[in-house]
Amino acid sequence: MNRYKINEVFQSIQGEGALTGVPSIFVRIQGCPVGCPWCDTKHTWDINPDDERSADDVMAEQGESSHWFQSSFDELMALFAREGYTAKNVILTGGEPCMFDLTELSSQLIARGYGVSIETSGTFEVLTHPDTWVTVSPKVNMKGGYDILDSALARANEIKHPVAMERHVDELKALLTRLPEGAAPLIYLQPISQQARATELAIKHCIENNWRLSLQTHKFIGIE
Ligand SMILES: C[S@@+](CC[C@H](N)C(=O)[O-])C[C@H]1O[C@@H](n2cnc3c(N)ncnc32)[C@H](O)[C@@H]1O
Ligand SMILES: Nc1nc2[nH]cc(C(=O)O)c2c(=O)[nH]1
Ligand code: SF4
Ligand SMILES: [Mg+2]
């Protein structure tokens, strides 16, 4: 039986990308080795054994913390029930959720009637149920190398590229030339940390390239 290391579980509204507005239960997996300098979840990077807590302790915490708890699927379902969650979509994020094989977890969620989405950096192979909505937010200094990123991009339903500089747009264009024939993911630019200049840049390149704009809408309205 798989157990998952989880940083936080909460119910909110998907704030980003193609599924913006969809009520969702977020399951934030602990651990990410990628190290994006502007990452807004740096507290999920390390899996420190000293930071393990009970699920109840983690659920009682307010704000960001590097504490995590272990959970089986059944324990996670019991937690959803205890919390009274009503959303029918589950977003597996992190940290980097694809450090782990998510086939079993996603399949079990789908069997319970949930829609499942994954937020991933494309630095690990995406192992998940075929009906999962996969958002790849490519990280170009990837540790996995191009083979892994190419397979993640080929699986992506949407590519959501974080941008703050022209260079980031050039990197995306180079990546898109690598997509296999027939792959047609939705393409989004997401301004890094809501900076005004990054947003202007994203708008300009979305219009020029017929890409879509993804804003972190939850941050504008002050929800999780
Ligand atoms: C926190 S990451 C976790 C999932 C996975 N590690 C990834 O990078 O896709 C979730 C999403 O937030 C984006 N993100 C993280 N920090 C951001 C920031 N400061 N500004 C804009 N987007 C950010 C990532 O690019 C990704 O699309
Ligand atoms: N509301 C909301 N939407 C999100 N979409 C992706 C998120 C993430 O951190 O992966 C996120 C998040 O943290 N909150
Ligand atoms: S890959 Fe995702 S979680 Fe990891 S550092 Fe980058 S944005 Fe943060
Ligand atoms: Mg977030």
Side-chain angles (χ1 to χ4, degrees), residues 13 21-22 33 59 66 78 131 147 149 156 211:
I13 301 275
V22 176
M59 291 303 292
S66 54
D131 291 348
D147 286 352
L149 184 63
W211 295 333

Side-chain angles (χ1 to χ4, degrees), residues 32-36 38-42 44-45 94-96 121 123 139:
C32 180
V34 180
C36 305
W38 39 262
C39 175
D40 57 20
T41 56
K42 288 184 174 162
T44 65
W45 287 4
E96 179 40 67
S121 61
T123 51
K139 303 303 182 299

Side-chain angles (χ1 to χ4, degrees), residues 8 10 12-24 26 28 38-41 89 91-95 117-121 133-139 157-163 186-194 212-221 223-224:
E8 62 177 349
F10 59 94
S12 185
I13 301 275
Q14 169 60 292
E16 308 173 7
L19 300 184
T20 294
V22 176
S24 298
F26 290 79
R28 196 178 298 286
W38 39 262
C39 175
D40 57 20
T41 56
N89 188 59
I91 299 177
L92 304 176
T93 184
S117 314
I118 292 180
E119 300 272 340
T120 181
S121 61
W133 182 269
V134 176
T135 303
V136 177
S137 178
K139 303 303 182 299
N157 298 95
E158 72 183 307
I159 294 174
K160 187 172 70 190
H161 200 58
V163 292
L186 299 171
I187 311 292
Y188 284 84
L189 296 182
Q190 179 159 292
I192 290 177
S193 301
Q194 307 138 283
R212 298 178 182 195
L213 181 67
S214 171
L215 300 176
Q216 295 184 292
T217 53
H218 51 292
K219 296 189 182 175
F220 288 92
I221 56 177
I223 60 170
E224 241 185 315

Side-chain angles (χ1 to χ4, degrees), residues 58-203:
V58 169
M59 291 303 292
E61 283 175 354
Q62 303 292 324
E64 291 174 358
S65 155
S66 54
H67 295 155
W68 52 274
F69 66 96
Q70 298 250 19
S71 179
S72 67
F73 177 74
D74 289 343
E75 288 163 343
L76 189 62
M77 289 305 99
L79 187 155
F80 285 13
R82 259 195 326 276
E83 296 291 322
Y85 291 155
T86 46
K88 296 302 284 176
N89 188 59
V90 176
I91 299 177
L92 304 176
T93 184
E96 179 40 67
C98 292
M99 286 208 294
F100 308 97
D101 184 339
L102 299 171
T103 309
E104 185 176 296
L105 176 58
S106 55
S107 301
Q108 286 171 313
L109 286 165
I110 286 167
R112 294 280 182 118
Y114 289 102
V116 180
S117 314
I118 292 180
E119 300 272 340
T120 181
S121 61
T123 51
F124 291 85
E125 195 180 352
V126 182
L127 298 168
T128 188
H129 187 286
D131 291 348
T132 308
W133 182 269
V134 176
T135 303
V136 177
S137 178
K139 303 303 182 299
V140 269
N141 57 343
M142 14 56 216
K143 298 198 158 85
Y146 274 106
D147 286 352
I148 302 280
L149 184 63
D150 283 348
S151 81
L153 290 173
R155 174 62 184 83
N157 298 95
E158 72 183 307
I159 294 174
K160 187 172 70 190
H161 200 58
V163 292
M165 291 182 263
E166 292 282 349
R167 175 171 61 80
H168 297 140
V169 177
D170 297 339
E171 286 161 357
L172 174 62
K173 285 184 177 164
L175 289 179
L176 294 178
T177 65
R178 306 174 62 86
L179 279 179
E181 190 86 12
L186 299 171
I187 311 292
Y188 284 84
L189 296 182
Q190 179 159 292
I192 290 177
S193 301
Q194 307 138 283
Q195 295 159 21
R197 283 192 51 217
T199 306
E200 268 170 48
L201 179 82
I203 291 169

